[in-house]
Amino acid sequence: MPSHFEFLILMKELPLRALKTTFDLKPQESEGYDIGVRYFRDKLNLDVSYYLIDTTNEIQYRNGINTNVDPIERKGFDIDFGYSLDQSNKLRGSFSYTILQSLLLEHLRRE
């Protein structure tokens, strides 16, 4: 197996016509939903939101070519908060959690 450096040299020496390319990509499409609430009280503010994004024909770069991948569903939530200690100082933070589901991932888990 060639080293990383040797691989780069081989790639540089390859003629462009030898590279595997594809131009039959389908357009990437997605549909998403987002719902959230915002809370303000005295020195505290809190934003919580939930999202769901369904993507078909997502375009990803794999092994040197662009390719479409199976449908992907992403869902998760975000939490942002802030607390004013005084007029000059404020604490801020955020947390995000995402779940990714894909037909490809399901297939790999079954193997």
Side-chain angles (χ1 to χ4, degrees), residues 32-71:
Y33 304 94
D34 188 339
I35 187 166
V37 294
R38 205 173 253 179
Y39 174 80
F40 291 98
R41 178 100 191 213
D42 299 323
K43 298 180 177 188
L44 176 69
N45 65 342
L46 181 67
D47 294 324
V48 179
S49 62
Y50 172 81
Y51 58 88
L52 172 66
I53 304 167
D54 289 319
T55 306
T56 55
N57 301 320
E58 182 165 317
I59 299 171
Q60 292 186 358
Y61 187 73
R62 290 187 180 176
N63 300 324
I65 61 169
N66 287 318
T67 185
N68 290 111
V69 297
D70 293 326

Side-chain angles (χ1 to χ4, degrees), residues 60 62 69-72 101-111:
Q60 292 186 358
R62 290 187 180 176
V69 297
D70 293 326
I72 296 175
Q101 291 180 316
S102 152
L103 294 177
L104 176 61
L105 290 175
E106 296 299 322
H107 174 72
L108 292 174
R109 285 185 188 137
R110 282 186 243 131
E111 289 184 350

Side-chain angles (χ1 to χ4, degrees), residues 11-28:
M11 288 301 293
K12 186 177 180 182
E13 292 174 356
L14 258 170
L16 286 177
R17 66 181 176 279
L19 295 175
K20 184 178 179 185
T21 60
T22 180
F23 295 100
D24 58 350
L25 292 173
K26 298 174 187 167
Q28 176 176 314

